[in-house]
């Protein structure tokens, strides 16, 4: 599989660089006759767009997406998908490549500068090229298409920790996520984060974050055993987001401290004739297959590597030097990662749904049989 392509039946290929003319993607495998227009994609892109608060990069990119293939007007349903590859394009309109001219021969600590140069013998120093978070805009656009395929699944993300400051889970409110610039479900934590980030910006520093993604409404049966595990593909998708360094499913690393009695998600029969789980330590996936419970994943985003504080480094000739990165950068790149995490979850679930339908049909086989 190409390192620019993700997915199996529902496949997303992205292209473009941070400071090139634009960015784009091709979405292949989308079923036909799904209503789709640019406004359906733009509503999600606007959530990720930079420059919306003082806490994110002030690069002013409208991120207006264009659909250039794979749809046509239908007199009965409006504009719909045709089953052909869907081409999407976004123009870059506010790139400032000159901001990076001073560091074109120096490796920025924490960035992919050294590794790209070591692998290819050339690197795009203008904002990081393909390693820039700018690439994730196309994931969000593709994720909007994926949501159409799994329309019955509600996918939401929240920022649950900024730097060393976690939220109070007892105060969780999805409504609050829409009210602050951090996608934070805890109003008190959001207020604390404002002053914390202001201090980091003034100091020329940055911090990391933890984002939690929850998908509700996926039925039991999606995913596959062993090498096609749903949780493995979710982890792969989230880990592929630039700056992500860790992923957890369900209780994640915390399960190591639990006993078998504590970790097991006990079951009873619900009034609707379906199993009722009494907990969800597994994060909605058992044996690589969805259980019907909410699918829960978290991912950790590292501190933004582009900071004003001088750091020791090397240039491409092996000379020791110091570097401070100028330009417009997020003090916490994790803030805009919530919509990206939602998109990657949607892409994985759309792919899982199409593969499941191809193998066993539209409806999962139900495991319960009537007693003789």
């Amino acid at each position: 599989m190409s390192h620019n392509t993700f997915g199996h039946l529902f496949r997303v290929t992205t292209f473009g660089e941070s400071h090139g003319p634009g960015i784009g993607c091709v979405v292949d495998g989308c079923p036909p006759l799904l209503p789709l227009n640019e406004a359906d994609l733009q509503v999600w892109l606007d959530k990720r767009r930079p420059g919306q608060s003082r806490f994110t990069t002030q690069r002013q990119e409208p991120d207006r997406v264009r659909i250039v293939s794979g749809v046509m007007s239908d007199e009965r349903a409006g504009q719909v998908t045709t089953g052909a590859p869907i081409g999407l394009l976004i123009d870059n309109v506010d790139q400032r490549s000159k901001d990076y001219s001073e560091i074109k021969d120096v490796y920025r600590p924490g960035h992919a500068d050294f590794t790209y140069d070591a692998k290819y013998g050339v690197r795009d120093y203008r904002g990081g090229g393909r390693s820039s978070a700018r690439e994730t805009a196309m994931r969000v656009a593709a994720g909007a298409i994926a949501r159409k395929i799994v329309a019955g699944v509600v996918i939401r993300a929240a920022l649950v920790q900024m730097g060393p400051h976690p939220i109070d889970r007892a105060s969780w409110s999805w409504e609050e996520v829409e009210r602050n610039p951090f996608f934070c479900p805890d109003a008190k934590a959001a207020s604390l984060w404002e002053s914390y980030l202001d201090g980091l910006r003034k100091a020329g520093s940055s911090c990391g974050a933890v984002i939690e993604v929850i998908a509700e409404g996926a039925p039991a049966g999606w995913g596959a055993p062993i090498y096609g595990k749903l949780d493995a593909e979710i982890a792969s998708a989230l880990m592929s987001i630039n700056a992500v360094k860790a992923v957890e499913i369900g209780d994640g690393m915390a399960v190591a401290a639990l006993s078998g009695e504590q970790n097991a998600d006990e079951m009873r029969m619900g009034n609707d004739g379906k199993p009722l789980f009494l907990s969800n330590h597994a994060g909605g996936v058992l044996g690589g297959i969805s259980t019907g419970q909410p699918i829960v994943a978290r991912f950790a985003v590292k501190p933004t590597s582009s900071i004003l504080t001088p750091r020791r480094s090397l240039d491409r000739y092996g000379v020791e030097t110091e570097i401070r990165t100028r330009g417009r950068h997020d003090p916490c790149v994790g803030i805009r990662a919530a919509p990206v995490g939602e998109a990657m979850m949607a892409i994985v679930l759309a792919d899982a749904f199409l593969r499941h339908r191809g193998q066993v049909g539209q409806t999962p086989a139900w495991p319960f049989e009537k007693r003789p």
Side-chain angles (χ1 to χ4, degrees):
M1 183 173 289
S2 165
H3 52 269
N4 294 303
T5 300
F6 185 83
H8 301 272
L9 292 186
F10 186 83
R11 292 167 62 85
V12 177
T13 301
T14 69
F15 60 88
E17 292 81 34
S18 176
H19 284 234
I23 53 177
C25 74
V26 176
V27 177
D28 205 357
C30 181
L33 299 177
L34 288 177
L36 184 69
N37 57 50
E38 290 166 354
D40 295 330
L41 312 183
Q42 198 63 51
V43 64
W44 302 106
L45 282 163
D46 287 346
K47 291 178 178 292
R48 180 214 159 273
R49 184 166 54 84
Q52 298 190 76
S53 78
R54 70 179 189 271
F55 305 109
T56 61
T57 173
Q58 293 306 295
R59 178 171 173 172
Q60 295 299 313
E61 293 286 355
D63 283 353
R64 305 305 300 184
V65 66
R66 289 179 287 145
I67 302 176
V68 297
S69 69
V71 298
M72 68 177 295
S73 294
D74 180 86
E75 60 185 22
R76 297 161 298 174
Q79 187 163 279
V80 297
T81 58
T82 65
I86 300 171
L88 306 176
L89 289 174
I90 293 176
D91 293 328
N92 290 334
V93 302
D94 189 29
Q95 61 270 62
R96 294 184 190 169
S97 300
K98 64 179 181 358
D99 287 345
Y100 297 90
S101 57
E102 294 180 8
I103 61 153
K104 66 183 182 67
D105 293 324
V106 182
Y107 301 131
R108 295 168 294 175
H111 270 284
D113 297 346
F114 169 72
T115 52
Y116 268 60
D117 215 1
K119 182 175 180 65
Y120 298 109
V122 61
R123 85 175 212 260
D124 189 342
Y125 62 86
R126 307 164 303 164
R130 288 290 285 165
S131 66
S132 168
R134 182 100 188 99
E135 180 268 347
T136 62
M138 298 320 306
R139 301 172 185 237
V140 173
I145 298 173
R147 290 176 188 266
K148 295 271 186 176
I149 297 172
V150 289
V153 181
V154 176
I155 301 170
R156 297 180 288 189
L159 205 153
V160 298
Q161 181 174 330
M162 182 178 290
H165 305 294
I167 65 166
D168 177 3
R169 288 185 171 269
S171 300
W172 188 297
S173 166
W174 283 115
E175 290 74 21
E176 182 59 32
V177 170
E178 304 294 328
R179 297 192 190 113
N180 63 74
F182 306 118
F183 300 94
C184 177
D186 174 5
K188 189 174 180 180
S191 178
L192 169 67
W193 293 351
E194 284 196 25
S195 56
Y196 174 64
L197 267 189
D198 281 337
L200 284 176
R201 281 194 310 121
K202 291 175 183 176
S205 189
S206 63
C207 71
V210 178
I211 294 91
E212 185 164 318
V213 189
I214 303 174
E216 298 173 286
W222 289 3
I226 314 301
Y227 302 117
K229 289 183 175 180
L230 181 62
D231 45 356
E233 298 201 340
I234 291 169
S236 175
L238 297 178
M239 198 73 190
S240 75
I241 299 170
N242 297 331
V244 171
K245 298 302 292 182
V247 178
E248 293 186 328
I249 307 295
D251 282 2
M253 298 292 283
V255 300
L258 300 179
S259 66
E261 294 85 352
Q262 293 170 318
N263 182 67
D265 295 319
E266 296 182 285
M267 304 167 69
R268 283 289 181 260
M269 184 59 74
N271 294 331
D272 58 0
K274 295 181 180 180
L276 175 66
F277 289 87
L278 306 185
S279 57
N280 191 18
H281 300 293
V285 184
L286 290 171
I289 300 170
S290 60
T291 65
Q293 286 191 279
I295 298 170
V296 181
R298 278 175 302 281
F299 60 97
V301 177
K302 69 180 182 180
T304 313
S305 297
S306 295
I307 55 176
L308 293 174
T309 308
R311 299 282 84 191
R312 291 174 294 178
S313 189
L314 299 172
D315 66 19
R316 63 184 307 181
Y317 308 105
V319 178
E320 295 181 352
T321 184
E322 274 198 350
I323 182 173
R324 57 192 299 240
T325 308
R326 305 180 190 277
R328 301 160 297 174
H329 306 287
D330 298 83
C332 177
V333 74
I335 294 174
R336 293 191 295 130
V340 183
E342 289 181 3
M344 295 310 290
M345 177 72 82
I347 290 168
V348 171
L349 293 182
D351 193 42
F353 163 68
L354 293 173
R355 293 162 70 191
H356 175 80
R357 186 175 67 174
Q359 182 180 22
V360 302
Q362 184 81 20
T363 306
W366 195 244
F368 299 114
E369 297 180 1
K370 292 184 179 179
R371 292 180 180 274

